[in-house]
Amino acid sequence: MSDNIAFEKTSYEGQVVIVTGAASGIGKSAAELIASRGAKVVCVDLNQVGVDQTVTSILKLGGNAESAVLDISNQKGITDFISQTVGKDKRIDALINCAGYPGPTGKFVEEINWDDFQKVVAVNLFGAIWLTQSVLPIMKKQKYGRIVQVASIAGKEGNPKMAPYNTAKSGLIGFVKGVAKEVATDGITINALAPAVIATPINVNTAKETLDYMISKIPAGRLGEPSEVAEIIAFMGSKACSFTTGFTFDISGGRATY
Ligand SMILES: NC(=O)c1ccc[n+]([C@@H]2O[C@H](COP(=O)([O-])OP(=O)(O)OC[C@H]3O[C@@H](n4cnc5c(N)ncnc54)[C@H](O)[C@@H]3O)[C@@H](O)[C@H]2O)c1
């Protein structure tokens, strides 16, 4: 009996879940896992080809998914997309925001071009804020919602020569802490996740010295896998995550034990 109850809480049967960054890496893995647990997943990304491939792989496995092309640094684009989604699907049970990029790496803060700095903050922080602002009224009406913001170990500890990314991800962690308290009696939880280095395409252009530094800090002595991150995201986005909010979950192979 108790096993059935546990299953029920991690199931996404009948739910509509938005996953951003779903074309690749962590977002793709999370979209596939959450679809396998019963959700209709709206897969969002800048990359049309990639996001369509994610949807195809979900449909092939008998899941339910559709794609949407969206740049999350476009506030109006987000508002329009969320109203279209809720117009069609009538509900949004969870927002899983995995879209992001590191921007300049291997550069001292004073060497970073301001446009590049702002762009990193616009995608990794403002996009997360605008998505949250757009889904909260719907979740409040439903009296239910789960928001997962993928931050980074960079936001907890700060990696040298990644100032824009550190700034955006630590801002995201602070954002989640306060908003969680605003919606704590509305049936909504909002949490962040701080991965250390995960084996995804995001690290392809990261300066070698920065990547070596980040890997050397992981006691497990290896990179994380997107499927490992997807498991914790699937918990955070489910009914099972009902009494933890405003928290930043760790997935760092032991780098951050707090
Ligand atoms: N992989 C890591 O080492 C690592 C570590 C810590 C945190 N993260 C975070 O995890 C999240 C997922 O990263 P990943 O490793 O899967 O990388 P990834 O590059 O494989 O996937 C990121 C996806 O986000 C999309 N994206 C980027 N900018 C976007 C925008 N403006 N609008 C819409 N989509 C956009 C990309 O097209 C891509 O498909 C990111 O927020 C990243 O900062 C990754």
Side-chain angles (χ1 to χ4, degrees):
M1 181 67 183
S2 58
D3 282 347
N4 287 342
I5 291 168
F7 170 76
E8 186 60 34
K9 286 183 178 168
T10 54
S11 163
Y12 280 89
E13 213 57 58
Q15 295 195 18
V16 177
V17 177
I18 294 172
V19 179
T20 74
S24 173
I26 294 168
K28 179 178 170 65
S29 207
E32 290 172 348
L33 182 60
I34 288 169
S36 79
R37 292 187 184 172
K40 172 183 176 180
V41 181
V42 184
C43 298
V44 177
D45 208 285
L46 270 180
N47 172 353
Q48 168 120 51
V49 174
V51 84
D52 286 345
Q53 282 170 352
T54 302
V55 169
T56 303
S57 82
I58 291 172
L59 297 178
K60 262 192 196 155
L61 291 169
N64 187 0
E66 63 186 41
S67 65
V69 176
L70 175 70
D71 177 350
I72 67 156
S73 66
N74 175 347
Q75 187 176 17
K76 169 88 170 52
I78 288 177
T79 318
D80 292 349
F81 160 69
I82 296 295
S83 44
Q84 278 160 22
T85 302
V86 81
K88 194 163 31 154
D89 294 312
K90 309 297 173 213
R91 55 185 302 110
I92 297 172
D93 295 283
L95 164 70
I96 313 289
N97 182 30
C98 306
Y101 83 110
T105 59
K107 281 190 175 178
F108 289 109
V109 61
E110 68 272 25
E111 294 167 353
I112 297 169
N113 173 292
W114 184 238
D115 285 345
D116 294 341
F117 205 120
Q118 279 184 302
K119 193 172 168 219
V120 175
V121 176
V123 174
N124 293 287
L125 179 57
F126 292 174
I129 294 170
W130 294 329
L131 282 162
T132 305
Q133 286 181 317
S134 299
V135 299
L136 275 181
I138 297 146
M139 291 179 171
K140 282 182 179 175
K141 261 193 216 148
Q142 293 168 178
K143 283 275 165 204
Y144 179 81
R146 297 284 180 264
I147 299 176
V148 178
Q149 296 288 0
V150 179
S152 171
I153 189 79
K156 276 168 104 175
E157 301 215 329
N159 288 319
K161 299 186 180 176
M162 291 184 77
Y165 190 71
N166 297 334
T167 304
K169 296 296 194 183
S170 63
L172 186 51
I173 289 169
F175 173 73
V176 160
K177 287 182 186 185
V179 172
K181 295 177 181 75
E182 293 177 21
V183 299
T185 56
D186 290 309
I188 301 167
T189 65
I190 171 168
N191 290 289
L193 179 64
V197 195
I198 310 300
T200 75
I202 205 170
N203 296 308
V204 167
N205 296 317
T206 302
K208 189 175 179 312
E209 66 166 316
T210 307
L211 203 55
D212 289 348
Y213 169 86
M214 295 190 299
I215 296 169
S216 74
K217 293 273 178 188
I218 300 177
R222 67 172 176 87
L223 277 67
E225 292 298 326
S227 59
E228 295 176 301
V229 187
E231 288 288 350
I232 196 164
I233 288 176
F235 164 73
M236 294 164 71
S238 76
K239 285 184 200 153
C241 186
S242 52
F243 200 54
T244 304
T245 193
F247 186 58
T248 298
F249 286 79
D250 171 68
I251 180 143
S252 70
R255 176 170 172 185
T257 49
Y258 60 94

